[in-house]
């Protein structure tokens, strides 16, 4: 499973990218607003740093304006994936941009039917939002499973990009189900390293090393 990092914070992307943990980046208008940066400038900086796809989201609602914004975002770099919402206008924009050879990430997906439409429109990525479904007592992981089944049944090449990931467990759950990509905030990716038994074992090893006076360098 590929790891995308879900942030527009350059320092945090760099730290994970230097460790080889970043296969791509996703942003959205909320994350750009949080960064306090200009969307075109910060997106260019991210694209220069990261080899994989960098999702940059349109803010228009009608198809013509979305298309103009998508084409402008796509000019930032070759690794831009234009992010469009799962609306009828978004699907139209997806089809046109895909036909022009531009990667498209269709976002705000909350149902298997929406994912089916995005695949038909040629999306490179579909972004089902797991956490926001869990927030309203629905099952986000079940949606990932359903989309995996549907895409595999018909050989759709659209990549399942699990989004709105809130915990380290979500990451391993998505990998078990067969999501192609999971995008998570940096703190969630880092939390994947944590285990209480690792902490406990390390404390015991350190105590014994100290007692025995073990020195290596
Ligand atoms: O990639 C979409 C993601 O940023 C949404 O996450 O936590 O705002 O639901 P969240």
């Amino acid at each position: 499973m590929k790891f995308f990092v879900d942030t527009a914070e350059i320092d945090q992307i760099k730290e994970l990218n230097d460790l080889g943990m970043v296969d791509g980046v996703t942003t959205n208008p909320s994350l750009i607003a949080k960064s306090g940066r200009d969307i075109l400038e910060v997106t260019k900086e991210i694209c220069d740093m990261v080899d994989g796809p960098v999702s940059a989201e349109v803010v228009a609602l009608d198809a013509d304006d979305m298309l103009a914004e998508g084409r402008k975002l796509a000019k930032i770099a070759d690794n831009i994936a234009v992010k469009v919402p799962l609306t009828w206008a978004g699907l139209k924009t997806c089809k046109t941009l895909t036909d022009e050879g531009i990667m498209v990430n269709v976002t705000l997906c909350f149902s298997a039917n929406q994912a089916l439409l995005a695949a038909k429109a040629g999306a490179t990525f579909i972004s089902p939002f797991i956490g926001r479904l869990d927030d309203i007592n629905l099952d986000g992981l079940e949606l990932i499973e359903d989309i995996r089944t549907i895409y595999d049944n018909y050989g759709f090449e659209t990549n399942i990009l699990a989004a709105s990931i809130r915990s380290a467990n979500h990451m391993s759950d998505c990998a078990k189900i067969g999501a192609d990509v999971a995008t998570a905030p940096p703190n969630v990716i880092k939390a994947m390293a944590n285990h209480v038994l690792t902490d406990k074992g390390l404390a015991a090893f350190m105590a014994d090393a100290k007692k025995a006076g073990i020195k290596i360098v």
Side-chain angles (χ1 to χ4, degrees), residues 6 26 28 31 83 107 129 132 163-166 183:
D6 197 28
T26 49
N28 61 38
L31 294 171
K83 213 171 175 189
T107 189
F129 277 30
R132 293 191 194 185
S164 186
I165 295 226
R166 304 278 174 76
T183 189

Side-chain angles (χ1 to χ4, degrees), residues 128-146:
F129 277 30
I130 300 178
R132 293 191 194 185
L133 282 168
D134 291 352
D135 287 346
I136 57 163
N137 294 323
L138 294 174
D139 190 339
L141 290 168
E142 191 175 284
L143 174 60
I144 303 287
E145 271 174 338
D146 289 347

Side-chain angles (χ1 to χ4, degrees), residues 82-162:
V82 174
K83 213 171 175 189
V84 300
L86 212 152
T87 58
W88 207 247
L91 292 169
K92 273 168 115 171
T93 308
C94 172
K95 176 77 174 93
T96 307
L97 292 175
T98 300
D99 287 347
E100 292 175 6
I102 294 167
M103 289 188 285
V104 179
N105 176 358
V106 180
T107 189
L108 290 166
C109 170
F110 295 96
S111 77
N113 273 336
Q114 289 181 318
L116 192 46
L117 288 175
K120 298 290 276 185
T124 312
F125 300 101
I126 181 69
S127 290
F129 277 30
I130 300 178
R132 293 191 194 185
L133 282 168
D134 291 352
D135 287 346
I136 57 163
N137 294 323
L138 294 174
D139 190 339
L141 290 168
E142 191 175 284
L143 174 60
I144 303 287
E145 271 174 338
D146 289 347
I147 300 172
R148 180 77 282 156
T149 302
I150 290 168
Y151 283 7
D152 289 350
N153 280 348
Y154 299 100
F156 285 119
E157 287 178 5
T158 299
N159 291 279
I160 302 173
L161 197 175

